[in-house]
Amino acid sequence: MSPVRVAVDRERCCAAGMCALVAPATFSQDDEDGRVVVLEDRPPEGERASVAEAAAICPCGVISLLE
Amino acid sequence: MTDATPVPQGLPMERQCPFSPPRGLVELRDQRPVSRMTYPDGHEGWLVTGHAQAREVLANPRFSSRGDLARAPIPTGPMAEGTRRFIPRGALTRMDPPEHTRYRRLLTGEFTVRRMRLLEPMIQGIVDHQLDLMAGGDQPADLVADFALPVPSLVICALLGVPTTDRPLFERETRTLFSLDTPVEDRNDALRSLGAYLGRLVADKRANPEDDLLSDLVAGGQLDDEELATMGMVLLVAGHETTANMLAHGVFALLRHPDQLALLRSDPALLPNAVEELLRYLSVIHVGPIRTALDDIELNGQLIRAGDSVTVSVPAANWDPTRFPEPDRLDITRRSTSHLAFGHGIHQCLGQQLARVEMRIGFGSLLGRFPGLRLAVEPDAVPLRSDMGIYGVHQLPVAW
Ligand code: HEM
Ligand code: SF4
């Protein structure tokens, strides 16, 4: 199975930080403007569930998971 | 039920239990998660009570947050007829992009998950100090006055750089603003008084900058004095009443669910999850968010017309059984992060990571300090804040 790739649209990110809260190994926030920073765009198997949760609850629908 | 629930006349507010949403909302949600509602001014608008539908409204920027378009879903309160509807520059909660984006981006860097973790020692210090005072004082104590209100109030003072000696002033005006019984004139006076107070504070920070958020915003040079005062006011007001009510009502809920309280005491690692579940279960924002359709928009198979008002009910959405099975069960082990207690979409609460840290430290330290914490009155003697814009309890007498 090919690893999932994480993509984000930083322009639409509203910096609520849900992603950094539920999947801190994959997402962080820029110190200046709080917008999402992807730490690991191919998160390991063990992170998949939290990354999927982050994508689902992101208030601005900014996170996509690509096969 | 054979008869369909009638179109509500204003947002149902009457509670049958301190924790469940008003029955009128629950019945409506189960039949029509997107329903017509007659607003107090006669407008035929909408009430959204389903979780998926609420999310859809809040995610769609064509449902506008503009304060000058909004209608009140209840006859009294902050949005009532005659309330000053002029939206000052900097009032980011009540505006749309691009203005909203500009203001929000000036603040978001200050409220990241990481920044808030850095505040933990300061918050822990404030919490410990309040607990010391409580432990040294008389029993029963009022958990609201002695703990739940001072903690977030002192934290937002420290963060913004507001002198703690001014707490009586801004706490009083905030109370006036959020009380649903406040006459329109008094509400406008409270707004003016808070605005003037923040104006003086901004002038102060310009003359004598310190190491705080308001001084940073002044020094940033991107905002004029009116914008600075308004943003300061939004942060100050939004930053203490909400968290205060979560803390007090959260303790009430835990004391009324001894199995969950025992579970939390036995495994403090459950704390972050317990905070999310309490946010869902209590849903202290019980009036709105309120939006106005800018275009004709289809929602749940119905046509919302441009200009229609749409009120979202957070308590109803957070108790939607299609999203949270057995919603009436407080279950601190359930995964509740998809709750809408902080809203959703571009206006989702800016201070949520701060509120989370305050609640984790607040609940955790309180339970640690008082292993025998208990209600000091009969549960039905606890006065509920059904008469306030933010739900919770007025007082919570406790002993230990
Ligand atoms: C448990 C405590 C809290 C709850 C339940 C809460 C709830 C909410 C909700 C539901 C919204 C969205 C309103 C809308 O969509 O129209 C919101 C927005 C906001 N909150 Fe909170 N809040 C809390 C704590 C805080 C704190 C501690 C702060 C500040 C330090 C804060 C500052 C704000 C601001 C500035 C906004 C407006 C954001 C925007 O319009 O972009 N809140 N809050
Ligand atoms: S959850 Fe979404 S909107 Fe919030 S910081 Fe992460 S990517 Fe941005």
Side-chain angles (χ1 to χ4, degrees), chain B residues 237-285:
Chain B
V237 169
H240 76 278
E241 274 272 316
T242 42
T243 313
N245 283 296
M246 271 305 302
L247 282 171
H249 208 28
V251 171
F252 187 26
L254 287 170
L255 292 175
R256 296 294 294 141
H257 294 81
D259 59 323
Q260 297 297 301
L261 179 57
L263 187 61
L264 183 56
R265 284 188 184 282
S266 70
D267 184 3
L270 284 171
L271 198 51
N273 210 62
V275 164
E276 299 306 318
E277 172 66 352
L278 286 167
L279 282 161
R280 176 195 77 81
Y281 189 71
L282 301 174
S283 299
V284 296
I285 302 291

Tab-separated table of all heavy atoms in Angstrom, chain B residues 237-285:
chain	number	residue	atom	x	y	z
B	237	VAL	N	-13.608	40.114	26.802
B	237	VAL	CA	-14.957	39.633	27.097
B	237	VAL	C	-15.093	38.148	26.740
B	237	VAL	O	-15.569	37.338	27.531
B	237	VAL	CB	-16.002	40.490	26.342
B	237	VAL	CG1	-17.371	39.859	26.404
B	237	VAL	CG2	-16.033	41.905	26.922
B	238	ALA	N	-14.628	37.790	25.515
B	238	ALA	CA	-14.751	36.392	25.077
B	238	ALA	C	-13.841	35.491	25.893
B	238	ALA	O	-14.073	34.292	26.007
B	238	ALA	CB	-14.388	36.271	23.593
B	239	GLY	N	-12.785	36.092	26.456
B	239	GLY	CA	-11.753	35.291	27.086
B	239	GLY	C	-12.009	34.879	28.513
B	239	GLY	O	-11.281	34.044	29.040
B	240	HIS	N	-13.021	35.434	29.191
B	240	HIS	CA	-13.172	34.977	30.575
B	240	HIS	C	-14.512	34.345	30.903
B	240	HIS	O	-14.557	33.328	31.589
B	240	HIS	CB	-12.770	36.071	31.572
B	240	HIS	CG	-13.767	37.184	31.749
B	240	HIS	ND1	-13.863	38.236	30.899
B	240	HIS	CD2	-14.700	37.382	32.697
B	240	HIS	CE1	-14.810	39.052	31.318
B	240	HIS	NE2	-15.355	38.552	32.403
B	241	GLU	N	-15.635	34.895	30.388
B	241	GLU	CA	-16.939	34.354	30.771
B	241	GLU	C	-17.171	32.924	30.284
B	241	GLU	O	-17.749	32.097	30.985
B	241	GLU	CB	-18.046	35.239	30.209
B	241	GLU	CG	-18.392	36.411	31.094
B	241	GLU	CD	-19.453	36.047	32.138
B	241	GLU	OE1	-20.437	35.375	31.796
B	241	GLU	OE2	-19.275	36.458	33.296
B	242	THR	N	-16.727	32.670	29.048
B	242	THR	CA	-16.934	31.346	28.460
B	242	THR	C	-16.228	30.264	29.268
B	242	THR	O	-16.841	29.295	29.717
B	242	THR	CB	-16.376	31.353	27.027
B	242	THR	OG1	-15.135	32.051	27.044
B	242	THR	CG2	-17.328	32.023	26.073
B	243	THR	N	-14.919	30.462	29.466
B	243	THR	CA	-14.134	29.457	30.181
B	243	THR	C	-14.620	29.334	31.623
B	243	THR	O	-14.673	28.231	32.179
B	243	THR	CB	-12.640	29.852	30.148
B	243	THR	OG1	-12.306	30.224	28.816
B	243	THR	CG2	-11.766	28.694	30.575
B	244	ALA	N	-14.987	30.473	32.234
B	244	ALA	CA	-15.484	30.443	33.616
B	244	ALA	C	-16.701	29.522	33.722
B	244	ALA	O	-16.813	28.717	34.647
B	244	ALA	CB	-15.845	31.856	34.071
B	245	ASN	N	-17.601	29.627	32.751
B	245	ASN	CA	-18.799	28.799	32.811
B	245	ASN	C	-18.517	27.338	32.521
B	245	ASN	O	-19.146	26.454	33.105
B	245	ASN	CB	-19.871	29.367	31.886
B	245	ASN	CG	-20.530	30.571	32.523
B	245	ASN	OD1	-21.177	30.439	33.555
B	245	ASN	ND2	-20.306	31.745	31.967
B	246	MET	N	-17.556	27.081	31.661
B	246	MET	CA	-17.165	25.685	31.434
B	246	MET	C	-16.580	25.088	32.711
B	246	MET	O	-16.853	23.939	33.056
B	246	MET	CB	-16.125	25.604	30.311
B	246	MET	CG	-16.700	25.461	28.919
B	246	MET	SD	-17.827	24.048	28.745
B	246	MET	CE	-16.775	22.671	29.206
B	247	LEU	N	-15.752	25.855	33.405
B	247	LEU	CA	-15.122	25.324	34.625
B	247	LEU	C	-16.184	24.998	35.680
B	247	LEU	O	-16.205	23.902	36.238
B	247	LEU	CB	-14.112	26.334	35.190
B	247	LEU	CG	-12.751	26.411	34.488
B	247	LEU	CD1	-11.951	27.606	35.003
B	247	LEU	CD2	-11.959	25.117	34.668
B	248	ALA	N	-17.069	25.952	35.954
B	248	ALA	CA	-18.039	25.740	37.029
B	248	ALA	C	-19.066	24.677	36.649
B	248	ALA	O	-19.344	23.757	37.427
B	248	ALA	CB	-18.742	27.059	37.357
B	249	HIS	N	-19.609	24.790	35.438
B	249	HIS	CA	-20.634	23.825	35.048
B	249	HIS	C	-20.005	22.438	34.868
B	249	HIS	O	-20.639	21.412	35.115
B	249	HIS	CB	-21.323	24.295	33.763
B	249	HIS	CG	-22.740	23.824	33.637
B	249	HIS	ND1	-23.532	23.555	34.730
B	249	HIS	CD2	-23.502	23.549	32.545
B	249	HIS	CE1	-24.726	23.143	34.302
B	249	HIS	NE2	-24.726	23.129	32.986
B	250	GLY	N	-18.740	22.424	34.454
B	250	GLY	CA	-18.024	21.155	34.297
B	250	GLY	C	-17.873	20.437	35.629
B	250	GLY	O	-18.054	19.218	35.723
B	251	VAL	N	-17.557	21.198	36.672
B	251	VAL	CA	-17.437	20.584	37.997
B	251	VAL	C	-18.805	20.081	38.458
B	251	VAL	O	-18.928	18.977	38.985
B	251	VAL	CB	-16.826	21.581	39.012
B	251	VAL	CG1	-16.909	21.043	40.432
B	251	VAL	CG2	-15.377	21.883	38.632
B	252	PHE	N	-19.847	20.883	38.223
B	252	PHE	CA	-21.208	20.458	38.576
B	252	PHE	C	-21.533	19.128	37.866
B	252	PHE	O	-22.001	18.162	38.484
B	252	PHE	CB	-22.203	21.556	38.167
B	252	PHE	CG	-23.633	21.345	38.611
B	252	PHE	CD1	-23.941	20.578	39.735
B	252	PHE	CD2	-24.682	21.939	37.894
B	252	PHE	CE1	-25.277	20.399	40.132
B	252	PHE	CE2	-26.006	21.756	38.285
B	252	PHE	CZ	-26.300	20.982	39.399
B	253	ALA	N	-21.228	19.060	36.583
B	253	ALA	CA	-21.526	17.837	35.814
B	253	ALA	C	-20.752	16.643	36.365
B	253	ALA	O	-21.304	15.551	36.514
B	253	ALA	CB	-21.191	18.050	34.338
B	254	LEU	N	-19.489	16.853	36.700
B	254	LEU	CA	-18.693	15.735	37.222
B	254	LEU	C	-19.226	15.280	38.579
B	254	LEU	O	-19.298	14.079	38.852
B	254	LEU	CB	-17.215	16.129	37.320
B	254	LEU	CG	-16.483	16.235	35.968
B	254	LEU	CD1	-15.099	16.858	36.151
B	254	LEU	CD2	-16.363	14.863	35.285
B	255	LEU	N	-19.597	16.254	39.423
B	255	LEU	CA	-20.117	15.882	40.740
B	255	LEU	C	-21.444	15.132	40.616
B	255	LEU	O	-21.786	14.314	41.474
B	255	LEU	CB	-20.293	17.123	41.627
B	255	LEU	CG	-18.987	17.815	42.065
B	255	LEU	CD1	-19.287	19.097	42.823
B	255	LEU	CD2	-18.114	16.886	42.905
B	256	ARG	N	-22.186	15.389	39.554
B	256	ARG	CA	-23.459	14.699	39.347
B	256	ARG	C	-23.283	13.378	38.593
B	256	ARG	O	-24.241	12.669	38.354
B	256	ARG	CB	-24.444	15.610	38.585
B	256	ARG	CG	-24.839	16.865	39.326
B	256	ARG	CD	-25.644	16.579	40.591
B	256	ARG	NE	-26.945	16.003	40.293
B	256	ARG	CZ	-27.531	15.033	41.009
B	256	ARG	NH1	-26.912	14.517	42.063
B	256	ARG	NH2	-28.712	14.584	40.665
B	257	HIS	N	-22.055	13.087	38.166
B	257	HIS	CA	-21.758	11.814	37.488
B	257	HIS	C	-20.580	11.156	38.193
B	257	HIS	O	-19.470	11.121	37.649
B	257	HIS	CB	-21.442	12.052	36.002
B	257	HIS	CG	-22.608	12.561	35.215
B	257	HIS	ND1	-22.978	13.889	35.209
B	257	HIS	CD2	-23.511	11.922	34.433
B	257	HIS	CE1	-24.051	14.035	34.448
B	257	HIS	NE2	-24.394	12.862	33.967
B	258	PRO	N	-20.832	10.638	39.413
B	258	PRO	CA	-19.734	10.145	40.244
B	258	PRO	C	-18.895	9.051	39.574
B	258	PRO	O	-17.686	8.977	39.817
B	258	PRO	CB	-20.448	9.579	41.482
B	258	PRO	CG	-21.853	10.037	41.419
B	258	PRO	CD	-22.150	10.519	40.050
B	259	ASP	N	-19.513	8.250	38.705
B	259	ASP	CA	-18.716	7.216	38.025
B	259	ASP	C	-17.675	7.853	37.114
B	259	ASP	O	-16.513	7.421	37.078
B	259	ASP	CB	-19.639	6.279	37.225
B	259	ASP	CG	-20.453	7.032	36.173
B	259	ASP	OD1	-20.878	8.183	36.457
B	259	ASP	OD2	-20.661	6.483	35.077
B	260	GLN	N	-18.069	8.902	36.392
B	260	GLN	CA	-17.126	9.574	35.505
B	260	GLN	C	-16.059	10.323	36.304
B	260	GLN	O	-14.892	10.348	35.926
B	260	GLN	CB	-17.878	10.541	34.582
B	260	GLN	CG	-18.864	9.862	33.660
B	260	GLN	CD	-18.177	8.900	32.699
B	260	GLN	OE1	-17.321	9.302	31.924
B	260	GLN	NE2	-18.537	7.620	32.773
B	261	LEU	N	-16.480	10.895	37.412
B	261	LEU	CA	-15.530	11.598	38.270
B	261	LEU	C	-14.497	10.615	38.828
B	261	LEU	O	-13.287	10.883	38.805
B	261	LEU	CB	-16.285	12.293	39.419
B	261	LEU	CG	-15.429	13.063	40.418
B	261	LEU	CD1	-14.573	14.130	39.742
B	261	LEU	CD2	-16.303	13.716	41.491
B	262	ALA	N	-14.956	9.453	39.274
B	262	ALA	CA	-14.043	8.447	39.820
B	262	ALA	C	-13.081	7.964	38.734
B	262	ALA	O	-11.874	7.802	38.969
B	262	ALA	CB	-14.842	7.277	40.394
B	263	LEU	N	-13.612	7.778	37.536
B	263	LEU	CA	-12.773	7.333	36.420
B	263	LEU	C	-11.675	8.356	36.131
B	263	LEU	O	-10.499	8.005	35.958
B	263	LEU	CB	-13.678	7.147	35.191
B	263	LEU	CG	-13.068	6.539	33.941
B	263	LEU	CD1	-12.556	5.137	34.241
B	263	LEU	CD2	-14.125	6.496	32.825
B	264	LEU	N	-12.065	9.625	36.133
B	264	LEU	CA	-11.104	10.692	35.851
B	264	LEU	C	-10.044	10.783	36.959
B	264	LEU	O	-8.860	10.953	36.688
B	264	LEU	CB	-11.853	12.027	35.714
B	264	LEU	CG	-11.024	13.254	35.350
B	264	LEU	CD1	-10.245	13.035	34.060
B	264	LEU	CD2	-11.930	14.475	35.207
B	265	ARG	N	-10.495	10.625	38.201
B	265	ARG	CA	-9.538	10.656	39.314
B	265	ARG	C	-8.558	9.487	39.233
B	265	ARG	O	-7.387	9.627	39.564
B	265	ARG	CB	-10.285	10.592	40.648
B	265	ARG	CG	-10.956	11.906	41.066
B	265	ARG	CD	-11.472	11.744	42.499
B	265	ARG	NE	-12.224	12.892	42.989
B	265	ARG	CZ	-11.673	14.026	43.422
B	265	ARG	NH1	-10.354	14.154	43.397
B	265	ARG	NH2	-12.421	15.005	43.861
B	266	SER	N	-9.053	8.339	38.774
B	266	SER	CA	-8.195	7.158	38.746
B	266	SER	C	-7.225	7.197	37.562
B	266	SER	O	-6.208	6.534	37.569
B	266	SER	CB	-9.035	5.882	38.685
B	266	SER	OG	-9.650	5.800	37.410
B	267	ASP	N	-7.552	7.987	36.535
B	267	ASP	CA	-6.692	8.025	35.356
B	267	ASP	C	-6.621	9.440	34.784
B	267	ASP	O	-7.314	9.787	33.829
B	267	ASP	CB	-7.248	7.058	34.296
B	267	ASP	CG	-6.343	6.982	33.081
B	267	ASP	OD1	-5.267	7.621	33.083
B	267	ASP	OD2	-6.711	6.283	32.122
B	268	PRO	N	-5.737	10.266	35.367
B	268	PRO	CA	-5.639	11.664	34.929
B	268	PRO	C	-5.271	11.809	33.452
B	268	PRO	O	-5.488	12.883	32.868
B	268	PRO	CB	-4.541	12.245	35.819
B	268	PRO	CG	-4.490	11.347	37.019
B	268	PRO	CD	-4.856	9.981	36.521
B	269	ALA	N	-4.759	10.747	32.825
B	269	ALA	CA	-4.444	10.837	31.396
B	269	ALA	C	-5.716	11.043	30.569
B	269	ALA	O	-5.651	11.432	29.401
B	269	ALA	CB	-3.715	9.578	30.932
B	270	LEU	N	-6.872	10.785	31.180
B	270	LEU	CA	-8.141	10.998	30.470
B	270	LEU	C	-8.534	12.471	30.406
B	270	LEU	O	-9.504	12.831	29.740
B	270	LEU	CB	-9.272	10.224	31.172
B	270	LEU	CG	-9.329	8.716	30.949
B	270	LEU	CD1	-10.357	8.089	31.881
B	270	LEU	CD2	-9.677	8.422	29.491
B	271	LEU	N	-7.799	13.319	31.115
B	271	LEU	CA	-8.195	14.715	31.253
B	271	LEU	C	-8.448	15.441	29.922
B	271	LEU	O	-9.510	16.041	29.747
B	271	LEU	CB	-7.148	15.444	32.108
B	271	LEU	CG	-7.536	16.767	32.731
B	271	LEU	CD1	-8.852	16.671	33.497
B	271	LEU	CD2	-6.431	17.238	33.668
B	272	PRO	N	-7.493	15.391	28.969
B	272	PRO	CA	-7.761	16.106	27.706
B	272	PRO	C	-9.048	15.635	27.036
B	272	PRO	O	-9.819	16.441	26.509
B	272	PRO	CB	-6.543	15.775	26.837
B	272	PRO	CG	-5.472	15.416	27.803
B	272	PRO	CD	-6.153	14.772	28.980
B	273	ASN	N	-9.278	14.335	27.064
B	273	ASN	CA	-10.493	13.816	26.457
B	273	ASN	C	-11.736	14.228	27.246
B	273	ASN	O	-12.783	14.523	26.671
B	273	ASN	CB	-10.395	12.295	26.363
B	273	ASN	CG	-11.155	11.767	25.182
B	273	ASN	OD1	-10.835	12.094	24.049
B	273	ASN	ND2	-12.200	11.008	25.458
B	274	ALA	N	-11.599	14.238	28.576
B	274	ALA	CA	-12.723	14.644	29.424
B	274	ALA	C	-13.104	16.093	29.120
B	274	ALA	O	-14.291	16.449	29.096
B	274	ALA	CB	-12.356	14.484	30.897
B	275	VAL	N	-12.100	16.929	28.866
B	275	VAL	CA	-12.384	18.332	28.550
B	275	VAL	C	-13.206	18.424	27.268
B	275	VAL	O	-14.199	19.158	27.192
B	275	VAL	CB	-11.057	19.133	28.433
B	275	VAL	CG1	-11.287	20.471	27.742
B	275	VAL	CG2	-10.431	19.336	29.805
B	276	GLU	N	-12.836	17.644	26.245
B	276	GLU	CA	-13.603	17.672	24.990
B	276	GLU	C	-15.036	17.201	25.217
B	276	GLU	O	-15.989	17.769	24.688
B	276	GLU	CB	-12.950	16.792	23.913
B	276	GLU	CG	-11.544	17.203	23.515
B	276	GLU	CD	-11.410	18.654	23.087
B	276	GLU	OE1	-12.276	19.158	22.354
B	276	GLU	OE2	-10.425	19.295	23.520
B	277	GLU	N	-15.185	16.141	26.007
B	277	GLU	CA	-16.521	15.607	26.255
B	277	GLU	C	-17.368	16.610	27.050
B	277	GLU	O	-18.556	16.780	26.792
B	277	GLU	CB	-16.427	14.253	26.961
B	277	GLU	CG	-17.744	13.665	27.441
B	277	GLU	CD	-18.744	13.270	26.344
B	277	GLU	OE1	-18.510	13.584	25.160
B	277	GLU	OE2	-19.779	12.652	26.685
B	278	LEU	N	-16.738	17.292	28.009
B	278	LEU	CA	-17.488	18.300	28.769
B	278	LEU	C	-17.888	19.470	27.860
B	278	LEU	O	-18.981	20.026	27.988
B	278	LEU	CB	-16.676	18.793	29.970
B	278	LEU	CG	-16.584	17.799	31.136
B	278	LEU	CD1	-15.516	18.230	32.145
B	278	LEU	CD2	-17.931	17.640	31.855
B	279	LEU	N	-16.994	19.831	26.938
B	279	LEU	CA	-17.339	20.895	25.990
B	279	LEU	C	-18.571	20.497	25.181
B	279	LEU	O	-19.490	21.291	24.969
B	279	LEU	CB	-16.164	21.168	25.041
B	279	LEU	CG	-15.021	22.001	25.608
B	279	LEU	CD1	-13.746	21.814	24.791
B	279	LEU	CD2	-15.396	23.476	25.657
B	280	ARG	N	-18.585	19.247	24.736
B	280	ARG	CA	-19.739	18.749	23.968
B	280	ARG	C	-20.989	18.706	24.840
B	280	ARG	O	-22.042	19.223	24.481
B	280	ARG	CB	-19.461	17.328	23.442
B	280	ARG	CG	-20.667	16.727	22.720
B	280	ARG	CD	-20.558	15.225	22.527
B	280	ARG	NE	-20.831	14.468	23.739
B	280	ARG	CZ	-22.046	14.177	24.205
B	280	ARG	NH1	-23.113	14.594	23.574
B	280	ARG	NH2	-22.197	13.479	25.329
B	281	TYR	N	-20.842	18.099	26.001
B	281	TYR	CA	-21.981	17.808	26.865
B	281	TYR	C	-22.648	19.095	27.367
B	281	TYR	O	-23.866	19.181	27.467
B	281	TYR	CB	-21.470	16.977	28.034
B	281	TYR	CG	-22.531	16.389	28.932
B	281	TYR	CD1	-23.342	15.351	28.495
B	281	TYR	CD2	-22.710	16.868	30.231
B	281	TYR	CE1	-24.299	14.802	29.334
B	281	TYR	CE2	-23.667	16.323	31.072
B	281	TYR	CZ	-24.466	15.291	30.614
B	281	TYR	OH	-25.413	14.747	31.432
B	282	LEU	N	-21.846	20.096	27.691
B	282	LEU	CA	-22.379	21.310	28.308
B	282	LEU	C	-22.731	22.402	27.299
B	282	LEU	O	-23.637	23.203	27.541
B	282	LEU	CB	-21.394	21.856	29.340
B	282	LEU	CG	-21.058	20.861	30.465
B	282	LEU	CD1	-19.968	21.423	31.362
B	282	LEU	CD2	-22.303	20.532	31.280
B	283	SER	N	-22.002	22.476	26.208
B	283	SER	CA	-22.317	23.433	25.125
B	283	SER	C	-22.774	24.788	25.671
B	283	SER	O	-23.920	25.205	25.457
B	283	SER	CB	-23.410	22.850	24.221
B	283	SER	OG	-22.966	21.656	23.633
B	284	VAL	N	-21.879	25.492	26.373
B	284	VAL	CA	-22.299	26.703	27.080
B	284	VAL	C	-22.721	27.855	26.162
B	284	VAL	O	-23.433	28.752	26.581
B	284	VAL	CB	-21.216	27.201	28.086
B	284	VAL	CG1	-21.004	26.176	29.187
B	284	VAL	CG2	-19.925	27.554	27.387
B	285	ILE	N	-22.283	27.828	24.899
B	285	ILE	CA	-22.804	28.815	23.942
B	285	ILE	C	-24.172	28.297	23.513
B	285	ILE	O	-24.267	27.387	22.695
B	285	ILE	CB	-21.871	28.958	22.719
B	285	ILE	CG1	-20.458	29.363	23.147
B	285	ILE	CG2	-22.443	29.947	21.697
B	285	ILE	CD1	-20.328	30.763	23.694
